[in-house]
Amino acid sequence: MMKNKLYIICSLFALLFSLPSFAQIYSFEENTIPSDWKINKGTLTLSTNKYKLGNQSLKVNWKRDATLLLPSPQGISEASKSRNGGMNVWVYNEIPVNSHLVFSFKNNDGKEVCQLPFLLNFKGWRCIWAKFQEDMKKPSLAQIESVELHFPAQGKGGVTYLDILEFTPKVSWQNMSDAQYKVNRTDFSLIPNFTGYRNTKAKTTQVISSGSEQIEVIANRLTGWYLGSKDQPADKWVKMRKESEKKFIQSGLKASGKVKIQYDQDKNPIGKPLFPMGAPATIDGIKAEKFRTINEKVLLPLALDYRKNKNEASLQKALYIYDWFNDQGWADGSGMGTLCFEKLRSSGYFHSFFLLKDQLTAEQLNRELHALNWFTMFGICYQTPTHPGEVADNLRALAIPKLIYALSLTNEQERQVALTAFKQYMDNALGIAPGFFGTFKADFSGYHHRGPYHSAYYPHALYAGSLIAYLLHDTPYALSETTMHNLKQGLLTFRFFCAGLDVPAGTVGRFPEGQQTLETLLPAFAYAALSSKTPDKELTAAFKRILASNDNQKAISDYVTEVNSNLAYTSTVGEIELVQQLATTSIKQEEAVKGTLFMPYSGLLVAKDENFHFNIKGFNRYIWDFESSATENTKGRYLAYGQVEYFDFRNKRKSFAPQEANFNWNYISGATTKVLPEQLLQDKGGSSSGHRNFSDETFLTGVHASPQEALFSFRMHDITYDKSFRANKSVFVFDDFLLCLGTNIQNKDQTYPTVTTLFQAFGGNGTNNRSDKGTILTDPSLMYVVKKGVVSTIDRGRHYIAYIDHGKAPQDAMYLYYILKQKDKKAAEQLLSDNSPIEVLSQNNDAHIVHHKIKGFWHAALFNADKEYNGQLVKRVNIPLSYILEKQAKESYKLSICEPDMRRVSHAHMGLLSEEDVIQEEKPFDTQITIDGLYKVACPQKTINVSQNKEKKETRITISTVRGENYTLILHPDNV
């Protein structure tokens, strides 16, 4: 699918901006060894036996305590001067010895200025990326003139090969420690602590004992997931998946034709050099073949061909690939320079292993189990977590491989320990994470890159968690009730904030054209629903409604027919069989989903009914504005500037249309923006990107008081591009229309105008009727009624834009307009008239307060906690908040409130957050609300404190608020 291709491309571009420099390389392809390179105890020769580039390498046949001298190697001076300078090299060792090869770097006086010990307890290729200053502690002013390689002083000697040796001024920032050497890395947010996990002892508390037959239940479910059931009748979609799988296998067999099974006389595999993803596409002019290519295109098809078609040739080739991989450096403890993205693109290896493990020799099985332990970072399961949550990448790519490792251990006690640890790890990983950490948030937003990310990452994590739940259910290792609740609510919330299959535009990260997502979670609904004794009714009902929609059929068919093993292998026959199984249950599909929901961790209000779906999006101190890369979403700066996104289900239209060639990113519906030329709007991308920026304002709030009534409000401040740019923006949702208020719109930009976009439409002309009372406009779906603000339009025929023009360098500009779901001109004129049902009580820098006179609702966003709001039932507050007040019978009221401040650390942009910042907990606050009058007050969610001042006829309510949650207070008059 196009979406999957986008994910792949983004990772590749991320790599392009972080590769090591291979400017001056010793690749030993010139048939000469530098004349001044000398070894005192041994020999130096060029060899074609082992090589990592081209056809040959430097063979060092060394004796005990040998020293290889490199007097003035190329690039050493520049590398020595650079802060990020250091050494890159590939090393092949023939005979493992538990001693170090020490790289010693000396100045002109022969004094050592730094060194790098490199352990030789391995056989095969290993890689070094190490910086002189950061990793080896070289003084910044010290100059390196020569290099000495000191071989072990123990034993008889050995044979070591060197290739692609480079002294470079720029060692990659992605370098990592492995079993052979250490680098100075303390930030493990992007590059995990692989060696720390590897060195963690395999133990856990309260080991869950189980018989082998119970563990076999899990293994059989996983096998059935891969291979499908012979007994279950195949429906249309199962047949489609099987046909696509056949094509996948055939494509893999064709690609495997380039892989030749070859061993030397010592039974060492012979094969072309392979490189990790972290290596450049070409090195010294030679194309670098990647492990990833074999992982994605060859290994899993071979395994499936053997298991399904009994093709012995495919088995033998797969077994050879495991040997070849190991020789090339795919091995326990081997970091290959970096595994930053490698763990995300290795699904072919992980899954093929499970399918073929019973065919491996004892030696191969033991070797690959150690490699699995390393690459899956299974050691994290044995560590005591300091907080709940997990990075979505680690769930989507490594949750199933971790289970594969635990199931594949041959020792019964070790297997029980590993499965216990894995269960505990998954229960914690799928817990509610604090702060900016991933993945599950308290409102069931899903985080990645420290913010809401619903087009990718989070749905993959939901999928992986649900599959694990299914595989483990009804066994001693079943996930906890809390975890199952989180998965269920995560799935149900996901389907709620989706319009059809589309996630909100403000939560797409760097994939603005990747909104269509929900169909990929159909199997997750099936896994979670089937993880109980009888299928979960809510999940099944939601699943069936998605499945039954005619609008979804093409997307579902596209999903069914897509089979690959790139990011995370999920496209199995067993997956679709479980979808079919749940689809045939007698549970009825749910009714059309409608209602309102505020998601404080997404900065998002969702309001939907049978005909329309609205998403209103903001950003603040805790929620970043947008994400981009070098090539993706580079003009998406305004996605969270108050966007009011709509989906018109009746006419199959939507407001956000980046797929349109003429889509203007300055005019995002609902957003207040500066209209910039493309070269200024365009984000710089890559490492210099201005994306993932926070504000210094905490006020981003929403109340979902009922299915029809809601509000959204935030104080917008751009502290990245123009610190003078501010606005207060509110959207009040009523049953048949939305009211949009803006105040304090200001900036100092004298060059470019500031606007609030009403709509940008394609496929039909808008209309525009002006009067003394205001302006009434329509787009192809909705009617807009502007009471305050100067309306301008851009009419290009099929492309029509309408906006409120605030001019250049506005100061305290404002707007007031309505969005009507029905194009009812009489209703529009009434809203503009003196008989409007809406009374605007406050529209200033202190508060936005409106009153629906007919329905008896008051909607309020109180920005100023120092002001007394006389004439309002909510008279005073001690912290900015928003509320909806609904008058009920006998002078009683329902008061719904949201106090938004998370009270945790933040910075100007995501890159400044430390690991400690990321996991900082949200802090509660004793919110005080003073009510005009004497009332008895109840709160169904929590204990509150209520006191009365009979002299002033006031009631003070104290409630502990946290995480931007909504609370309901019921007020009854106290007539005593």
Side-chain angles (χ1 to χ4, degrees), residues 484-522:
M484 295 307 301
H485 168 81
N486 291 345
L487 287 169
K488 177 178 177 177
Q489 293 307 311
L491 289 166
L492 293 175
T493 303
F494 203 101
R495 77 82 165 81
F496 184 89
F497 64 61
C498 278
L501 301 175
D502 288 7
V503 299
T507 65
V508 295
R510 64 183 182 276
F511 307 118
E513 295 187 41
Q515 286 184 266
Q516 183 183 301
T517 303
L518 184 58
E519 76 279 6
T520 67
L521 280 177
L522 278 169

Side-chain angles (χ1 to χ4, degrees), residues 582-694:
L582 190 64
T584 57
T585 59
S586 60
I587 298 170
K588 294 181 180 180
Q589 70 181 57
E590 66 183 356
E591 298 296 323
V593 183
K594 53 188 177 181
T596 61
L597 179 67
F598 174 62
M599 303 183 71
Y601 286 88
S602 290
L604 176 73
L605 178 72
V606 180
K608 63 195 301 178
D609 58 28
E610 297 93 334
N611 299 319
F612 285 97
H613 178 117
F614 291 92
N615 298 312
I616 302 108
K617 181 73 173 73
F619 72 103
N620 69 348
R621 179 177 169 83
Y622 310 109
I623 301 166
W624 43 250
D625 50 0
F626 79 113
E627 182 185 70
S628 69
S629 72
T631 59
E632 298 154 320
N633 200 34
T634 57
K635 292 182 283 187
R637 180 190 305 186
Y638 296 139
L639 285 174
Y641 276 53
Q643 177 178 188
V644 180
E645 177 187 24
Y646 78 73
F647 295 81
D648 175 0
F649 296 137
R650 294 175 302 184
N651 300 303
K652 307 295 189 296
R653 294 184 181 277
K654 59 182 183 177
S655 59
F656 182 65
Q659 72 280 0
E660 294 283 351
N662 296 321
F663 184 77
N664 192 322
W665 290 86
N666 283 296
Y667 297 100
I668 304 290
S669 60
T672 299
T673 65
K674 294 195 306 180
V675 180
L676 301 173
E678 188 166 297
Q679 66 269 21
L680 292 181
L681 181 63
Q682 187 100 11
D683 188 64
K684 294 189 282 280
S687 60
S688 61
S689 174
H691 68 172
R692 302 177 190 150
N693 308 295
F694 298 105

Side-chain angles (χ1 to χ4, degrees), residues 773-775 785-789 816-818 831-833 836 838:
K773 296 287 188 179
T775 304
V785 181
V786 182
K787 194 167 185 176
K788 292 182 183 179
L816 187 161
Y817 69 93
Y818 298 89
L831 288 169
L832 289 174
S833 73
S836 172
I838 297 298

Side-chain angles (χ1 to χ4, degrees), residues 192 194 197 222 226 343 350-351 353-354 369 372-382 390-391 393-409 415 418-423 425-426 429 468 471-472:
F194 278 82
Y197 300 141
L222 183 53
Y226 286 117
K343 63 187 174 69
F350 298 135
H351 295 287
F353 168 81
F354 182 80
L369 280 172
L372 271 172
N373 179 64
W374 166 253
F375 284 108
T376 66
M377 302 185 296
F378 193 88
I380 193 175
C381 300
Y382 299 124
E390 175 59 289
V391 177
D393 270 338
N394 293 338
L395 287 170
R396 64 177 180 162
L398 298 180
I400 296 299
K402 280 184 170 69
L403 177 59
I404 288 171
Y405 170 76
L407 288 173
S408 302
L409 292 170
R415 190 166 60 241
L419 284 169
T420 301
F422 176 72
K423 174 224 168 4
Y425 162 79
M426 288 301 301
I468 292 295
L471 295 172
L472 299 182

Side-chain angles (χ1 to χ4, degrees), residues 115-139:
Q115 65 166 232
L116 181 74
F118 181 77
L119 192 59
L120 292 177
N121 64 341
F122 65 93
K123 180 181 180 181
W125 284 104
R126 297 293 186 270
C127 184
I128 300 173
W129 288 357
K131 299 178 183 180
F132 292 138
Q133 292 187 32
E134 186 173 321
D135 301 325
M136 305 183 215
K137 306 303 180 186
K138 181 187 83 68

